Amino acid sequence: MSRTKTRNFLVTCHLLLAGLLAPLFILVAITGGLYLIGEKGEVVETALSVPEGTTLDADAPTIEADVRAVLAANDLPTDFEYLRMRPGSITTRPTTEDFVVLEQGDDGWSATLNEPNFLYRMIELHKGHGPQLFKTYQIGAAISLFMVVLGGLLVGLLAPAYRKQTIGASAFGTAAFVLLAFVI
């Protein structure tokens, strides 16, 4: 394949992948920027009752059923996808929809229903706390983004008219990244 055909193929792949990724990366840009300036969304919290004598053991094979029993006792849906477990805390996931946090205190377990607003939900998607299928999509998008960036660099290096600008921009970007992330 000639250099021109290779470059045209890479440009086509670059444009197709960029178009497919655009919605996700617009979400990531907006939510990431808002999060960094302190806009993290809001969650309305409502205390729930935990049946007396409830013990939750994160290592027990029945932990999901035990959490579902607490949800059912509060007339809540029991269809969470998975649990996020930390010492003394269990959170139903995904957190892009209403979720429950169970916490162990000195007096036993307490539970809170969390109802996130739209911004909070979008930030949770950004963080990878969404539905399992969306997380798989994000993994594919990460691989695709790598290919888009690598393809863009290759296109710039293969085109004599853009080679110097590509090398200059890449060198500047790498230097800025290293300085800001590890030196300053």
Side-chain angles (χ1 to χ4, degrees), residues 55-125:
T55 56
L56 300 170
D57 179 4
D59 297 325
T62 61
I63 186 62
E64 286 193 11
D66 297 339
V67 170
R68 288 182 206 288
V70 172
L71 298 178
N74 286 278
D75 294 323
L76 293 172
T78 60
D79 58 345
F80 59 85
E81 285 190 29
Y82 58 102
L83 297 172
R84 168 74 163 117
M85 292 183 264
R86 295 181 177 174
S89 175
I90 300 171
T91 304
T92 62
R93 289 272 175 93
T95 49
T96 54
E97 55 191 45
D98 294 354
F99 62 98
V100 173
V101 176
L102 297 119
E103 294 182 306
Q104 187 175 26
D106 294 335
D107 299 334
W109 287 89
S110 63
T112 307
L113 172 64
N114 296 269
E115 299 171 279
N117 70 0
F118 181 75
L119 177 57
Y120 188 95
R121 292 170 192 260
M122 296 303 101
I123 290 173
E124 288 297 289
L125 278 177

Side-chain angles (χ1 to χ4, degrees), residues 30-184:
I30 292 169
T31 57
L34 288 171
Y35 188 87
L36 289 173
I37 64 169
E39 295 294 328
K40 299 179 181 180
E42 296 178 3
V43 177
V44 174
E45 296 181 358
T46 305
L48 300 174
S49 64
V50 176
E52 198 169 314
T54 298
T55 56
L56 300 170
D57 179 4
D59 297 325
T62 61
I63 186 62
E64 286 193 11
D66 297 339
V67 170
R68 288 182 206 288
V70 172
L71 298 178
N74 286 278
D75 294 323
L76 293 172
T78 60
D79 58 345
F80 59 85
E81 285 190 29
Y82 58 102
L83 297 172
R84 168 74 163 117
M85 292 183 264
R86 295 181 177 174
S89 175
I90 300 171
T91 304
T92 62
R93 289 272 175 93
T95 49
T96 54
E97 55 191 45
D98 294 354
F99 62 98
V100 173
V101 176
L102 297 119
E103 294 182 306
Q104 187 175 26
D106 294 335
D107 299 334
W109 287 89
S110 63
T112 307
L113 172 64
N114 296 269
E115 299 171 279
N117 70 0
F118 181 75
L119 177 57
Y120 188 95
R121 292 170 192 260
M122 296 303 101
I123 290 173
E124 288 297 289
L125 278 177
H126 177 142
K127 291 178 174 181
H129 301 161
Q132 210 54 49
L133 190 57
F134 193 82
K135 288 170 70 170
T136 302
Y137 165 68
Q138 287 176 296
I139 292 168
I143 294 166
S144 297
L145 177 62
F146 176 78
M147 293 178 356
V148 166
V149 172
L150 186 61
L153 286 172
L154 289 173
V155 167
L157 293 173
L158 288 173
Y162 298 114
R163 191 170 296 138
K164 285 183 183 178
Q165 294 97 317
T166 302
I167 291 170
S170 297
F172 180 78
T174 301
F177 174 80
V178 170
L179 284 172
L180 294 171
F182 303 112
V183 178
I184 297 176

